[in-house]
Amino acid sequence: MLTARPVRIGVQIQPQHGTYKQLRDAVRRAEDLGVDIVFNWDHFFPLNGDPDGPHYECWTLLAAWAEQTSRVELGALVTSNSYRNPNLLADMARTVDHISGGRVVLGIGSGWFERDYTEYGYEFGTAGGRLDALAEALPVIEDRFARLNPPPTRKVPTLIGGGGEKKTLKLVARHADIWHSFTGPDVLAHKLDVLRDHCEREGRSFDDIEISVGVGGKGREGRSPDAPEIEGVPLYDLGARLFTMGLNGPDYDFAPVEPWLRWRDELNG
């Protein structure tokens, strides 16, 4: 059941404003510290800071990180469905799965950053249209996983990011092993109720889905392990079990992550 899941700590090593050597070092530090999962993101330009600053592509980085590491899970938070044919994406994920020895997570969403689309020649369209395309792609990805030779080393976990109640959360109920949200605690409680309703209609156990949240680095010290608080509200008590912090280049400061790891270890025993 969801309540029995262990807490996991993730970092999103944002592939911007640093050199590849700095990115590689950040991944090494993440694994050495005991982080559970390392994400990057699927964009072509920085999302903050200098908009034309240094930036690296998502899946080629994941392949390199898969060879570099031995323990942490790896994935994108999240892959844009728009940028790759779904059959190709499944093949890429399967390949990184084998490089990593079964540690890849397929994080996926509908895409949103217009500059990526316009500069790389993809049709931006509408938010609704991009979600419809994601709905079409997910079964194709699942089918391709089943037909690849060799197959993935395990059932590749699917993480779906986004909080749209009519379309996105329905896709989570149908396809996701992990649901990721950047929403605040009050909104999260409501979204989880919506997701429960979608799971019931889809005949899916809500407890099968790991609840993942994006968080800041503050608020861990001095908190009771049985009532952890993020921004004053206990996200843990709502059911969140995967907590991920974003780390920006070029320094990729892990100091805010360390208290979370201590809290995780206290809670998980």
Side-chain angles (χ1 to χ4, degrees), residues 215-221 230 244-247 255-260:
V215 295
K218 298 179 180 179
R220 302 282 16 106
E221 297 289 18
I230 311 298
T244 297
M245 281 148 279
L247 304 180
V257 181
E258 294 180 14
W260 290 79

Side-chain angles (χ1 to χ4, degrees), residues 176-187:
D177 302 287
I178 307 168
W179 173 54
H180 182 82
S181 170
F182 289 102
T183 57
D186 293 339
V187 176

Side-chain angles (χ1 to χ4, degrees), residues 165 170 173 194-204:
E165 297 179 12
K170 182 184 289 187
V194 174
L195 179 56
R196 286 186 183 93
D197 289 342
H198 281 302
C199 287
E200 183 175 352
R201 285 192 288 271
E202 294 290 333
R204 175 93 184 276

Side-chain angles (χ1 to χ4, degrees), residues 96-173:
V96 178
D97 168 72
H98 277 262
I99 295 170
S100 68
R103 293 180 288 118
V104 76
V105 172
L106 178 59
I108 193 166
S110 59
W112 63 272
F113 188 43
E114 187 170 5
R115 185 184 181 190
D116 286 343
Y117 287 79
T118 56
E119 294 218 22
Y120 275 61
Y122 297 104
E123 181 181 354
F124 188 57
T126 66
R130 294 192 298 276
L131 279 167
D132 291 341
L134 177 60
E136 294 174 2
L138 286 165
V140 175
I141 292 168
E142 293 165 354
D143 178 69
R144 179 56 58 185
F145 276 147
R147 293 194 285 146
L148 287 167
N149 183 17
T153 66
R154 63 171 180 169
K155 180 190 180 300
V156 175
T158 298
L159 177 155
I160 294 179
E165 297 179 12
K166 293 181 179 180
K167 293 185 177 182
T168 303
L169 292 181
K170 182 184 289 187
L171 294 177
V172 171

Side-chain angles (χ1 to χ4, degrees), residues 11-16 19-28 30-31 37-41 56-77 96 99-101 103-104 247 252 254:
V11 294
Q12 184 187 52
I13 297 177
Q14 299 165 0
Q16 60 178 11
T19 64
Y20 178 69
K21 183 178 182 298
Q22 289 167 318
L23 283 162
R24 180 181 172 85
D25 178 67
V27 174
R28 178 192 58 77
E31 183 158 73
I37 183 164
V38 175
F39 296 105
N40 59 13
W41 65 32
Y56 295 93
E57 193 275 330
C58 169
W59 276 93
T60 43
L61 274 180
L62 289 175
W65 292 354
E67 186 67 33
Q68 172 190 346
T69 56
S70 61
R71 181 192 57 79
V72 292
E73 288 195 315
L74 300 162
L77 195 62
V96 178
I99 295 170
S100 68
R103 293 180 288 118
V104 76
L247 304 180
Y252 300 106
F254 279 84

